[in-house]
Each structure stands twice: as C-alpha cells, then as structure tokens.
Amino acid sequence: MRLRRASDCRLEAEPDLTHHVEILKPVPPALCLSVPANQSGGHMQILVNSNHSVDVTGSLEEHAKATVESELERFDDQLTRVEVHLNDENSGKSGPQDKRCQMEARVKGHEPISTSHKADSLNLAIDGCAEKLSHALAHALDKKLNHH
C-alpha cells in the first residue's frame, strides 16, 4: 500500500500494472482505489473515491469495478479512466435514496462525460449510474462519429 496526496489519485496507471490492485490513500477524507479495469489488455482504469461518510469495503469496490467493466466494456478502447465517486448524503442516517454515485468517464479525444444516480443502497446507486453512463457514452460517441 502506498500513501499519496489526493491530487496524486488522478495519475494514470502504468501499463505493467494490469494484474495489480493498488490502494491509494490520499489525505483524509477521500479514499481512492485504483484498479485497472480490463485484465485482458484494455487500458481503462477505474478509480473509486468516497468521502468520509462511505467506507469502501472490498466487496463494494469489487461491485463497482465489475459493474463498470460490464456496462462499459464495449467502450473499452475509447476510455482511459472511469472515476466512481460514492457519497452517503445523510452520513449514516437511513433515508430514502440518500446514497449517491457519480461516475466520470475520460474518453480519448473527447471531454469527460459524467452521470449521477441516487438510490437506497450504494450498490443500486452504482448500478443505476453505470447504466446512465453507458447510455450517455453511446449518445456522445454516436454523435461524434456522425459529425466526422
């Protein structure tokens, strides 16, 4: 485990880290987990970030990684990184749709594309946000292809 400043969490993974899971811990309150998304040679990287209100467990991180991989697999060649931001808007108090996920996809040759989704659980927020991001990427990339 390597400690890094929060600003270092946006660094690209080196190509030889395709089978390496790296936990980046910036200065609190944010936690960054850097995981190369595609083990078969793709270049997309997944970063999972949270504020102090969310404890990113191994199973939550794995769910985010697997969901992003499956929803965005068809865009793997066009994406360099997907950042997943998790937040509990009521900080531990139970409430309807108080879990929020925001995802930002870094697309080669394109501005970043961002979506967010609120749900009753972080897993549902991740699922909904990934689905929205898939639709947004399809729309943006189709639009780009039709104008060139």
Side-chain angles (χ1 to χ4, degrees):
M1 185 181 317
R2 297 186 308 191
L3 297 178
R4 300 220 180 186
R5 295 186 317 267
S7 61
D8 291 338
C9 287
R10 297 191 182 272
L11 295 175
E12 293 285 330
E14 296 176 13
D16 63 336
L17 297 178
T18 56
H19 296 290
H20 177 74
V21 174
E22 180 181 11
I23 300 175
L24 303 173
K25 287 202 171 187
V27 177
L31 171 68
C32 293
L33 298 170
S34 174
V35 182
N38 187 335
Q39 299 300 323
S40 63
H43 296 96
M44 180 173 60
Q45 180 185 42
I46 300 171
L47 295 173
V48 179
N49 303 293
S50 72
N51 65 6
H52 66 282
S53 66
V54 176
D55 180 27
V56 179
T57 62
S59 62
L60 183 61
E61 177 266 324
E62 183 57 36
H63 177 75
K65 176 181 175 277
T67 301
V68 169
E69 285 177 347
S70 66
E71 283 287 339
L72 306 182
E73 180 179 25
R74 66 186 172 134
F75 305 110
D76 187 57
D77 291 341
Q78 296 149 312
L79 298 176
T80 58
R81 179 171 63 226
V82 176
E83 295 183 26
V84 180
H85 304 277
L86 302 174
N87 185 24
D88 181 347
E89 295 189 342
N90 288 337
S91 296
K93 298 175 191 167
S94 183
Q97 298 196 346
D98 65 337
K99 309 300 189 269
R100 181 175 183 266
C101 178
Q102 179 181 359
M103 292 185 187
E104 182 178 272
R106 302 295 174 100
V107 184
K108 295 174 186 173
H110 195 282
E111 290 294 315
I113 297 172
S114 179
T115 59
S116 65
H117 188 77
K118 288 184 183 180
D120 293 335
S121 73
L122 287 169
N123 284 344
L124 290 174
I126 290 167
D127 295 348
C129 194
E131 185 177 336
K132 286 180 179 180
L133 186 56
S134 178
H135 291 296
L137 284 166
H139 178 74
L141 295 175
D142 283 346
K143 195 171 165 181
K144 183 179 177 183
L145 289 173
N146 290 332
H147 284 99
H148 290 275

